[in-house]
PDB file of all heavy atoms in Angstrom:
ATOM      1  N   LEU A1623     -10.955  32.743   3.258  1.00  0.00           N
ATOM      2  CA  LEU A1623     -11.871  32.158   4.050  1.00  0.00           C
ATOM      3  C   LEU A1623     -11.683  32.744   5.479  1.00  0.00           C
ATOM      4  O   LEU A1623     -12.695  32.963   6.235  1.00  0.00           O
ATOM      5  CB  LEU A1623     -11.622  30.605   4.120  1.00  0.00           C
ATOM      6  CG  LEU A1623     -12.242  29.864   2.967  1.00  0.00           C
ATOM      7  CD1 LEU A1623     -11.612  28.420   2.843  1.00  0.00           C
ATOM      8  CD2 LEU A1623     -13.771  29.781   3.036  1.00  0.00           C
ATOM      9  N   ARG A1624     -10.512  32.967   5.887  1.00  0.00           N
ATOM     10  CA  ARG A1624     -10.297  33.501   7.279  1.00  0.00           C
ATOM     11  C   ARG A1624     -10.937  34.861   7.334  1.00  0.00           C
ATOM     12  O   ARG A1624     -11.594  35.199   8.442  1.00  0.00           O
ATOM     13  CB  ARG A1624      -8.833  33.603   7.633  1.00  0.00           C
ATOM     14  CG  ARG A1624      -8.231  32.221   7.872  1.00  0.00           C
ATOM     15  CD  ARG A1624      -6.700  32.266   8.220  1.00  0.00           C
ATOM     16  NE  ARG A1624      -6.360  30.902   8.251  1.00  0.00           N
ATOM     17  CZ  ARG A1624      -5.190  30.500   7.688  1.00  0.00           C
ATOM     18  NH1 ARG A1624      -4.369  31.246   7.041  1.00  0.00           N
ATOM     19  NH2 ARG A1624      -4.852  29.122   7.846  1.00  0.00           N
ATOM     20  N   GLU A1625     -10.798  35.767   6.320  1.00  0.00           N
ATOM     21  CA  GLU A1625     -11.447  37.057   6.434  1.00  0.00           C
ATOM     22  C   GLU A1625     -12.948  36.883   6.337  1.00  0.00           C
ATOM     23  O   GLU A1625     -13.705  37.574   7.020  1.00  0.00           O
ATOM     24  CB  GLU A1625     -10.881  38.013   5.262  1.00  0.00           C
ATOM     25  CG  GLU A1625     -11.297  39.401   5.515  1.00  0.00           C
ATOM     26  CD  GLU A1625     -10.595  40.347   4.514  1.00  0.00           C
ATOM     27  OE1 GLU A1625      -9.385  40.097   4.182  1.00  0.00           O
ATOM     28  OE2 GLU A1625     -11.279  41.240   4.060  1.00  0.00           O
ATOM     29  N   PHE A1626     -13.473  36.002   5.479  1.00  0.00           N
ATOM     30  CA  PHE A1626     -14.891  35.809   5.301  1.00  0.00           C
ATOM     31  C   PHE A1626     -15.499  35.242   6.560  1.00  0.00           C
ATOM     32  O   PHE A1626     -16.688  35.542   6.924  1.00  0.00           O
ATOM     33  CB  PHE A1626     -15.127  34.904   4.097  1.00  0.00           C
ATOM     34  CG  PHE A1626     -16.551  34.914   3.651  1.00  0.00           C
ATOM     35  CD1 PHE A1626     -17.177  35.883   3.005  1.00  0.00           C
ATOM     36  CD2 PHE A1626     -17.379  33.818   3.922  1.00  0.00           C
ATOM     37  CE1 PHE A1626     -18.470  35.889   2.569  1.00  0.00           C
ATOM     38  CE2 PHE A1626     -18.680  33.730   3.572  1.00  0.00           C
ATOM     39  CZ  PHE A1626     -19.234  34.778   3.010  1.00  0.00           C
ATOM     40  N   ASP A1627     -14.816  34.370   7.258  1.00  0.00           N
ATOM     41  CA  ASP A1627     -15.268  33.694   8.463  1.00  0.00           C
ATOM     42  C   ASP A1627     -15.695  34.766   9.518  1.00  0.00           C
ATOM     43  O   ASP A1627     -16.724  34.709  10.169  1.00  0.00           O
ATOM     44  CB  ASP A1627     -14.232  32.776   8.935  1.00  0.00           C
ATOM     45  CG  ASP A1627     -14.467  32.167  10.290  1.00  0.00           C
ATOM     46  OD1 ASP A1627     -14.572  32.885  11.271  1.00  0.00           O
ATOM     47  OD2 ASP A1627     -14.660  30.978  10.417  1.00  0.00           O
ATOM     48  N   ALA A1628     -14.862  35.779   9.624  1.00  0.00           N
ATOM     49  CA  ALA A1628     -15.130  36.914  10.494  1.00  0.00           C
ATOM     50  C   ALA A1628     -15.636  36.525  11.912  1.00  0.00           C
ATOM     51  O   ALA A1628     -16.427  37.268  12.517  1.00  0.00           O
ATOM     52  CB  ALA A1628     -16.140  37.929   9.885  1.00  0.00           C
ATOM     53  N   GLY A1629     -15.031  35.458  12.388  1.00  0.00           N
ATOM     54  CA  GLY A1629     -15.394  35.036  13.825  1.00  0.00           C
ATOM     55  C   GLY A1629     -16.757  34.381  13.900  1.00  0.00           C
ATOM     56  O   GLY A1629     -17.209  33.984  14.949  1.00  0.00           O
ATOM     57  N   ASN A1630     -17.541  34.264  12.797  1.00  0.00           N
ATOM     58  CA  ASN A1630     -18.890  33.632  12.853  1.00  0.00           C
ATOM     59  C   ASN A1630     -18.911  32.322  12.134  1.00  0.00           C
ATOM     60  O   ASN A1630     -20.060  31.796  11.877  1.00  0.00           O
ATOM     61  CB  ASN A1630     -19.829  34.601  12.104  1.00  0.00           C
ATOM     62  CG  ASN A1630     -19.908  35.907  12.638  1.00  0.00           C
ATOM     63  OD1 ASN A1630     -19.963  36.117  13.851  1.00  0.00           O
ATOM     64  ND2 ASN A1630     -19.852  37.009  11.832  1.00  0.00           N
ATOM     65  N   SER A1631     -17.736  31.755  11.810  1.00  0.00           N
ATOM     66  CA  SER A1631     -17.692  30.438  11.143  1.00  0.00           C
ATOM     67  C   SER A1631     -18.418  30.539   9.859  1.00  0.00           C
ATOM     68  O   SER A1631     -19.023  29.480   9.366  1.00  0.00           O
ATOM     69  CB  SER A1631     -18.280  29.357  12.025  1.00  0.00           C
ATOM     70  OG  SER A1631     -17.641  29.265  13.225  1.00  0.00           O
ATOM     71  N   ALA A1632     -18.528  31.689   9.173  1.00  0.00           N
ATOM     72  CA  ALA A1632     -19.052  31.767   7.876  1.00  0.00           C
ATOM     73  C   ALA A1632     -18.404  30.902   6.788  1.00  0.00           C
ATOM     74  O   ALA A1632     -17.164  30.754   6.914  1.00  0.00           O
ATOM     75  CB  ALA A1632     -19.185  33.189   7.361  1.00  0.00           C
ATOM     76  N   GLY A1633     -19.112  30.363   5.861  1.00  0.00           N
ATOM     77  CA  GLY A1633     -18.451  29.427   4.866  1.00  0.00           C
ATOM     78  C   GLY A1633     -18.760  29.717   3.471  1.00  0.00           C
ATOM     79  O   GLY A1633     -19.719  30.554   3.255  1.00  0.00           O
ATOM     80  N   LEU A1634     -17.982  29.199   2.580  1.00  0.00           N
ATOM     81  CA  LEU A1634     -18.306  29.488   1.161  1.00  0.00           C
ATOM     82  C   LEU A1634     -18.696  28.135   0.499  1.00  0.00           C
ATOM     83  O   LEU A1634     -17.907  27.161   0.459  1.00  0.00           O
ATOM     84  CB  LEU A1634     -17.084  29.961   0.351  1.00  0.00           C
ATOM     85  CG  LEU A1634     -16.532  31.396   0.864  1.00  0.00           C
ATOM     86  CD1 LEU A1634     -15.211  31.660   0.191  1.00  0.00           C
ATOM     87  CD2 LEU A1634     -17.598  32.443   0.555  1.00  0.00           C
ATOM     88  N   ALA A1635     -19.902  28.049  -0.101  1.00  0.00           N
ATOM     89  CA  ALA A1635     -20.357  26.994  -0.965  1.00  0.00           C
ATOM     90  C   ALA A1635     -19.593  27.142  -2.266  1.00  0.00           C
ATOM     91  O   ALA A1635     -19.642  28.248  -2.875  1.00  0.00           O
ATOM     92  CB  ALA A1635     -21.872  27.140  -1.141  1.00  0.00           C
ATOM     93  N   ALA A1636     -19.008  25.942  -2.690  1.00  0.00           N
ATOM     94  CA  ALA A1636     -18.269  26.083  -3.836  1.00  0.00           C
ATOM     95  C   ALA A1636     -18.185  24.624  -4.568  1.00  0.00           C
ATOM     96  O   ALA A1636     -17.545  23.803  -4.105  1.00  0.00           O
ATOM     97  CB  ALA A1636     -16.835  26.524  -3.716  1.00  0.00           C
ATOM     98  N   PRO A1637     -18.759  24.567  -5.751  1.00  0.00           N
ATOM     99  CA  PRO A1637     -18.500  23.342  -6.562  1.00  0.00           C
ATOM    100  C   PRO A1637     -17.387  23.658  -7.401  1.00  0.00           C
ATOM    101  O   PRO A1637     -16.860  24.759  -7.436  1.00  0.00           O
ATOM    102  CB  PRO A1637     -19.768  23.226  -7.462  1.00  0.00           C
ATOM    103  CG  PRO A1637     -20.232  24.699  -7.613  1.00  0.00           C
ATOM    104  CD  PRO A1637     -19.816  25.394  -6.426  1.00  0.00           C
ATOM    105  N   SER A1638     -16.923  22.653  -8.196  1.00  0.00           N
ATOM    106  CA  SER A1638     -15.842  22.887  -9.129  1.00  0.00           C
ATOM    107  C   SER A1638     -16.298  23.944 -10.150  1.00  0.00           C
ATOM    108  O   SER A1638     -17.503  23.928 -10.571  1.00  0.00           O
ATOM    109  CB  SER A1638     -15.460  21.635  -9.839  1.00  0.00           C
ATOM    110  OG  SER A1638     -16.522  20.980 -10.392  1.00  0.00           O
ATOM    111  N   ALA A1639     -15.445  24.842 -10.630  1.00  0.00           N
ATOM    112  CA  ALA A1639     -15.784  25.938 -11.443  1.00  0.00           C
ATOM    113  C   ALA A1639     -15.866  25.561 -12.858  1.00  0.00           C
ATOM    114  O   ALA A1639     -15.079  26.216 -13.721  1.00  0.00           O
ATOM    115  CB  ALA A1639     -14.893  27.093 -11.175  1.00  0.00           C
ATOM    116  N   ASN A1640     -16.704  24.581 -13.263  1.00  0.00           N
ATOM    117  CA  ASN A1640     -16.864  24.195 -14.675  1.00  0.00           C
ATOM    118  C   ASN A1640     -18.327  24.067 -14.922  1.00  0.00           C
ATOM    119  O   ASN A1640     -19.146  24.047 -14.072  1.00  0.00           O
ATOM    120  CB  ASN A1640     -16.225  22.818 -14.869  1.00  0.00           C
ATOM    121  CG  ASN A1640     -16.735  21.825 -13.836  1.00  0.00           C
ATOM    122  OD1 ASN A1640     -16.210  21.764 -12.802  1.00  0.00           O
ATOM    123  ND2 ASN A1640     -17.697  20.967 -14.258  1.00  0.00           N
ATOM    124  N   ARG A1641     -18.680  24.087 -16.247  1.00  0.00           N
ATOM    125  CA  ARG A1641     -20.041  23.845 -16.613  1.00  0.00           C
ATOM    126  C   ARG A1641     -20.485  22.390 -16.145  1.00  0.00           C
ATOM    127  O   ARG A1641     -19.587  21.555 -16.117  1.00  0.00           O
ATOM    128  CB  ARG A1641     -20.338  24.039 -18.036  1.00  0.00           C
ATOM    129  CG  ARG A1641     -20.042  25.452 -18.546  1.00  0.00           C
ATOM    130  CD  ARG A1641     -21.164  26.419 -18.331  1.00  0.00           C
ATOM    131  NE  ARG A1641     -22.403  26.044 -19.089  1.00  0.00           N
ATOM    132  CZ  ARG A1641     -23.560  26.483 -18.847  1.00  0.00           C
ATOM    133  NH1 ARG A1641     -23.772  27.413 -17.881  1.00  0.00           N
ATOM    134  NH2 ARG A1641     -24.655  26.086 -19.556  1.00  0.00           N
ATOM    135  N   TYR A1642     -21.689  22.244 -15.828  1.00  0.00           N
ATOM    136  CA  TYR A1642     -22.181  20.876 -15.306  1.00  0.00           C
ATOM    137  C   TYR A1642     -21.769  19.672 -16.236  1.00  0.00           C
ATOM    138  O   TYR A1642     -21.924  19.666 -17.481  1.00  0.00           O
ATOM    139  CB  TYR A1642     -23.629  20.923 -15.174  1.00  0.00           C
ATOM    140  CG  TYR A1642     -24.271  19.604 -14.716  1.00  0.00           C
ATOM    141  CD1 TYR A1642     -23.876  19.149 -13.403  1.00  0.00           C
ATOM    142  CD2 TYR A1642     -25.047  18.892 -15.462  1.00  0.00           C
ATOM    143  CE1 TYR A1642     -24.428  17.970 -13.001  1.00  0.00           C
ATOM    144  CE2 TYR A1642     -25.666  17.699 -14.997  1.00  0.00           C
ATOM    145  CZ  TYR A1642     -25.292  17.322 -13.808  1.00  0.00           C
ATOM    146  OH  TYR A1642     -25.744  16.032 -13.286  1.00  0.00           O
ATOM    147  N   GLY A1643     -21.077  18.710 -15.563  1.00  0.00           N
ATOM    148  CA  GLY A1643     -20.681  17.462 -16.259  1.00  0.00           C
ATOM    149  C   GLY A1643     -19.421  17.554 -17.024  1.00  0.00           C
ATOM    150  O   GLY A1643     -18.872  16.547 -17.559  1.00  0.00           O
ATOM    151  N   ARG A1644     -18.768  18.836 -17.096  1.00  0.00           N
ATOM    152  CA  ARG A1644     -17.610  18.960 -17.810  1.00  0.00           C
ATOM    153  C   ARG A1644     -16.288  18.814 -16.981  1.00  0.00           C
ATOM    154  O   ARG A1644     -16.368  18.524 -15.787  1.00  0.00           O
ATOM    155  CB  ARG A1644     -17.634  20.410 -18.567  1.00  0.00           C
ATOM    156  CG  ARG A1644     -18.721  20.344 -19.574  1.00  0.00           C
ATOM    157  CD  ARG A1644     -18.470  19.495 -20.769  1.00  0.00           C
ATOM    158  NE  ARG A1644     -19.556  19.210 -21.498  1.00  0.00           N
ATOM    159  CZ  ARG A1644     -19.693  18.147 -22.350  1.00  0.00           C
ATOM    160  NH1 ARG A1644     -18.689  17.412 -22.468  1.00  0.00           N
ATOM    161  NH2 ARG A1644     -20.858  17.968 -23.023  1.00  0.00           N
ATOM    162  N   ILE A1645     -15.159  19.009 -17.620  1.00  0.00           N
ATOM    163  CA  ILE A1645     -13.848  18.751 -16.985  1.00  0.00           C
ATOM    164  C   ILE A1645     -13.640  19.876 -15.887  1.00  0.00           C
ATOM    165  O   ILE A1645     -13.773  21.149 -16.245  1.00  0.00           O
ATOM    166  CB  ILE A1645     -12.767  18.747 -18.087  1.00  0.00           C
ATOM    167  CG1 ILE A1645     -13.081  17.663 -19.056  1.00  0.00           C
ATOM    168  CG2 ILE A1645     -11.384  18.617 -17.433  1.00  0.00           C
ATOM    169  CD1 ILE A1645     -12.167  17.766 -20.188  1.00  0.00           C
ATOM    170  N   SER A1646     -13.199  19.488 -14.723  1.00  0.00           N
ATOM    171  CA  SER A1646     -12.959  20.504 -13.670  1.00  0.00           C
ATOM    172  C   SER A1646     -11.706  21.328 -14.071  1.00  0.00           C
ATOM    173  O   SER A1646     -10.766  20.800 -14.597  1.00  0.00           O
ATOM    174  CB  SER A1646     -12.648  19.748 -12.321  1.00  0.00           C
ATOM    175  OG  SER A1646     -13.805  19.097 -11.884  1.00  0.00           O
ATOM    176  N   PRO A1647     -11.718  22.662 -13.664  1.00  0.00           N
ATOM    177  CA  PRO A1647     -10.594  23.541 -14.008  1.00  0.00           C
ATOM    178  C   PRO A1647      -9.413  23.439 -13.066  1.00  0.00           C
ATOM    179  O   PRO A1647      -9.583  23.341 -11.872  1.00  0.00           O
ATOM    180  CB  PRO A1647     -11.270  24.919 -13.915  1.00  0.00           C
ATOM    181  CG  PRO A1647     -12.354  24.694 -12.882  1.00  0.00           C
ATOM    182  CD  PRO A1647     -12.745  23.284 -12.928  1.00  0.00           C
ATOM    183  N   THR A1648      -8.209  23.376 -13.485  1.00  0.00           N
ATOM    184  CA  THR A1648      -7.044  23.260 -12.640  1.00  0.00           C
ATOM    185  C   THR A1648      -6.090  24.460 -12.793  1.00  0.00           C
ATOM    186  O   THR A1648      -5.043  24.538 -12.259  1.00  0.00           O
ATOM    187  CB  THR A1648      -6.296  21.977 -12.904  1.00  0.00           C
ATOM    188  OG1 THR A1648      -5.919  21.916 -14.360  1.00  0.00           O
ATOM    189  CG2 THR A1648      -7.068  20.812 -12.471  1.00  0.00           C
ATOM    190  N   CYS A1649      -6.658  25.564 -13.528  1.00  0.00           N
ATOM    191  CA  CYS A1649      -5.909  26.750 -13.455  1.00  0.00           C
ATOM    192  C   CYS A1649      -7.019  27.896 -13.864  1.00  0.00           C
ATOM    193  O   CYS A1649      -8.076  27.628 -14.320  1.00  0.00           O
ATOM    194  CB  CYS A1649      -4.763  26.849 -14.465  1.00  0.00           C
ATOM    195  SG  CYS A1649      -5.198  26.714 -16.180  1.00  0.00           S
ATOM    196  N   ALA A1650      -6.564  29.147 -13.519  1.00  0.00           N
ATOM    197  CA  ALA A1650      -7.451  30.308 -13.710  1.00  0.00           C
ATOM    198  C   ALA A1650      -8.025  30.393 -15.097  1.00  0.00           C
ATOM    199  O   ALA A1650      -9.089  30.775 -15.348  1.00  0.00           O
ATOM    200  CB  ALA A1650      -6.848  31.555 -13.170  1.00  0.00           C
ATOM    201  N   GLU A1651      -7.093  30.098 -16.008  1.00  0.00           N
ATOM    202  CA  GLU A1651      -7.439  30.187 -17.517  1.00  0.00           C
ATOM    203  C   GLU A1651      -8.531  29.311 -17.871  1.00  0.00           C
ATOM    204  O   GLU A1651      -9.441  29.749 -18.667  1.00  0.00           O
ATOM    205  CB  GLU A1651      -6.117  29.922 -18.300  1.00  0.00           C
ATOM    206  CG  GLU A1651      -6.271  30.353 -19.771  1.00  0.00           C
ATOM    207  CD  GLU A1651      -6.904  31.713 -19.939  1.00  0.00           C
ATOM    208  OE1 GLU A1651      -6.478  32.737 -19.255  1.00  0.00           O
ATOM    209  OE2 GLU A1651      -7.776  31.843 -20.696  1.00  0.00           O
ATOM    210  N   HIS A1652      -8.513  28.103 -17.279  1.00  0.00           N
ATOM    211  CA  HIS A1652      -9.745  27.212 -17.591  1.00  0.00           C
ATOM    212  C   HIS A1652     -11.049  27.888 -17.149  1.00  0.00           C
ATOM    213  O   HIS A1652     -12.052  27.664 -17.773  1.00  0.00           O
ATOM    214  CB  HIS A1652      -9.554  25.846 -16.775  1.00  0.00           C
ATOM    215  CG  HIS A1652      -8.339  25.020 -17.226  1.00  0.00           C
ATOM    216  ND1 HIS A1652      -7.942  24.041 -16.423  1.00  0.00           N
ATOM    217  CD2 HIS A1652      -7.573  25.186 -18.368  1.00  0.00           C
ATOM    218  CE1 HIS A1652      -6.835  23.518 -17.028  1.00  0.00           C
ATOM    219  NE2 HIS A1652      -6.621  24.124 -18.195  1.00  0.00           N
ATOM    220  N   VAL A1653     -11.055  28.480 -15.950  1.00  0.00           N
ATOM    221  CA  VAL A1653     -12.277  29.066 -15.431  1.00  0.00           C
ATOM    222  C   VAL A1653     -12.722  30.238 -16.351  1.00  0.00           C
ATOM    223  O   VAL A1653     -13.823  30.353 -16.704  1.00  0.00           O
ATOM    224  CB  VAL A1653     -12.035  29.642 -13.970  1.00  0.00           C
ATOM    225  CG1 VAL A1653     -13.402  30.158 -13.525  1.00  0.00           C
ATOM    226  CG2 VAL A1653     -11.496  28.523 -13.076  1.00  0.00           C
ATOM    227  N   ARG A1654     -11.714  31.029 -16.672  1.00  0.00           N
ATOM    228  CA  ARG A1654     -11.980  32.240 -17.555  1.00  0.00           C
ATOM    229  C   ARG A1654     -12.668  31.703 -18.861  1.00  0.00           C
ATOM    230  O   ARG A1654     -13.662  32.341 -19.336  1.00  0.00           O
ATOM    231  CB  ARG A1654     -10.624  32.932 -17.855  1.00  0.00           C
ATOM    232  CG  ARG A1654     -10.795  34.416 -18.022  1.00  0.00           C
ATOM    233  CD  ARG A1654      -9.428  35.103 -17.964  1.00  0.00           C
ATOM    234  NE  ARG A1654      -8.955  35.237 -16.553  1.00  0.00           N
ATOM    235  CZ  ARG A1654      -7.767  34.947 -16.219  1.00  0.00           C
ATOM    236  NH1 ARG A1654      -6.881  34.473 -17.053  1.00  0.00           N
ATOM    237  NH2 ARG A1654      -7.365  35.098 -14.909  1.00  0.00           N
ATOM    238  N   ALA A1655     -12.117  30.662 -19.482  1.00  0.00           N
ATOM    239  CA  ALA A1655     -12.597  30.245 -20.766  1.00  0.00           C
ATOM    240  C   ALA A1655     -14.066  29.669 -20.658  1.00  0.00           C
ATOM    241  O   ALA A1655     -14.847  29.940 -21.567  1.00  0.00           O
ATOM    242  CB  ALA A1655     -11.703  29.085 -21.266  1.00  0.00           C
ATOM    243  N   GLU A1656     -14.375  29.096 -19.512  1.00  0.00           N
ATOM    244  CA  GLU A1656     -15.625  28.460 -19.329  1.00  0.00           C
ATOM    245  C   GLU A1656     -16.776  29.264 -18.766  1.00  0.00           C
ATOM    246  O   GLU A1656     -17.877  29.131 -19.052  1.00  0.00           O
ATOM    247  CB  GLU A1656     -15.422  27.087 -18.651  1.00  0.00           C
ATOM    248  CG  GLU A1656     -16.545  26.069 -19.122  1.00  0.00           C
ATOM    249  CD  GLU A1656     -16.091  24.679 -18.764  1.00  0.00           C
ATOM    250  OE1 GLU A1656     -15.020  24.166 -19.184  1.00  0.00           O
ATOM    251  OE2 GLU A1656     -16.781  24.013 -17.945  1.00  0.00           O
ATOM    252  N   LEU A1657     -16.348  30.064 -17.743  1.00  0.00           N
ATOM    253  CA  LEU A1657     -17.313  30.782 -16.884  1.00  0.00           C
ATOM    254  C   LEU A1657     -16.906  32.268 -16.731  1.00  0.00           C
ATOM    255  O   LEU A1657     -17.523  32.916 -15.864  1.00  0.00           O
ATOM    256  CB  LEU A1657     -17.382  30.108 -15.489  1.00  0.00           C
ATOM    257  CG  LEU A1657     -18.063  28.681 -15.420  1.00  0.00           C
ATOM    258  CD1 LEU A1657     -17.820  28.094 -14.093  1.00  0.00           C
ATOM    259  CD2 LEU A1657     -19.498  28.742 -15.664  1.00  0.00           C
TER     260      LEU A1657
END
Side-chain angles (χ1 to χ4, degrees):
L1623 284 164
R1624 284 180 190 133
E1625 192 170 324
F1626 189 75
D1627 173 294
N1630 301 315
S1631 304
L1634 295 175
S1638 51
N1640 51 279
R1641 297 280 296 166
Y1642 178 63
R1644 294 293 159 198
I1645 301 167
S1646 296
T1648 53
C1649 66
E1651 195 41 52
H1652 296 164
V1653 183
R1654 212 165 282 130
E1656 208 162 299
L1657 291 169

